[in-house]
Amino acid sequence: QNAMKENNGLYNAGIIVSPASQKLILSMYCPVYDTDGSTIVGYVGGGPYMEKLERLLNETKKNDKKSIQYSMLNVSSKMYITSLITKEATDKGILNVINDIEKSKKNTNNAFTYKNSNNTSYVMSYQYDKEHDWAVISKAKESSLYSDVYKTMRTLAIFCIISCIMISSLSWFFIHMHTKPLTYVTDAL
């Protein structure tokens, strides 16, 4: 109630599971004032469904060939907003994201790598929304994420080695062909 008073208007309580429908909703409240404009006589609230947002994140997961995991997180409470709703974040990478956000506390995005307890390297990327105190986070195995880059680098390395061998062979052939007449002159002398 204090937060609603301080907000002087619509108060956004974040995404929650609706007690009535058991679906994700954006929980919003507004105080109703008496005719004097300062005495609160009650509160009204509403909760539009967040199915579209959850569907968008799920479709992104399905279409993603690199098995990138997407999640939304309430930074203050360290609780997941979608799919793992009402579960607290315990993943080392997610906690690193929260620490990074808490240092700056402004709308920001960032990416970094980290290794989990199994020594698997992951790439984390996030976008933070200060207004709602939410972060959209993507997490992918570094080897999977960069597999196309590594494949291209190997192909390029093979191409360079073959080119080097071909250039060296052709250079030796042309040098040998152009210096062959010199052997006749040397023999004649």
Side-chain angles (χ1 to χ4, degrees), residues 91-108:
D91 182 88
K92 180 182 172 185
I94 301 284
L95 295 176
N96 287 345
V97 167
I98 292 169
N99 290 336
D100 197 42
I101 291 170
E102 287 175 345
K103 286 179 189 173
S104 66
K105 276 298 183 186
K106 59 183 179 180
N107 286 343
T108 185

Side-chain angles (χ1 to χ4, degrees), residues 85-131:
I85 191 86
T86 70
K87 291 194 170 54
E88 187 171 349
T90 56
D91 182 88
K92 180 182 172 185
I94 301 284
L95 295 176
N96 287 345
V97 167
I98 292 169
N99 290 336
D100 197 42
I101 291 170
E102 287 175 345
K103 286 179 189 173
S104 66
K105 276 298 183 186
K106 59 183 179 180
N107 286 343
T108 185
N109 58 358
N110 200 356
F112 57 90
T113 59
Y114 83 98
K115 290 187 179 186
N116 67 1
S117 57
N118 298 335
N119 212 23
T120 304
S121 187
Y122 286 90
V123 175
M124 300 286 293
S125 176
Y126 70 87
Q127 178 70 43
Y128 175 65
D129 180 14
K130 183 179 181 180
E131 181 182 347

Side-chain angles (χ1 to χ4, degrees), residues 53-68:
L53 175 63
E54 191 168 24
R55 189 170 47 249
L56 177 67
L57 286 172
N58 289 335
E59 284 174 10
T60 307
K61 287 180 194 175
K62 288 177 192 171
N63 296 335
D64 188 7
K65 298 175 184 170
K66 299 293 176 205
S67 66
I68 297 175

Side-chain angles (χ1 to χ4, degrees), residues 158-174:
I158 291 169
F159 178 75
C160 288
I161 290 169
I162 291 171
S163 297
C164 186
I165 291 170
M166 286 179 55
I167 290 170
S168 299
S169 299
L170 287 173
S171 296
W172 179 85
F173 175 75
F174 284 119

Side-chain angles (χ1 to χ4, degrees), residues 28-45:
M28 297 181 294
Y29 302 95
C30 186
V32 177
Y33 295 96
D34 198 2
T35 54
D36 65 2
S38 61
T39 306
I40 297 176
V41 292
Y43 299 92
V44 294

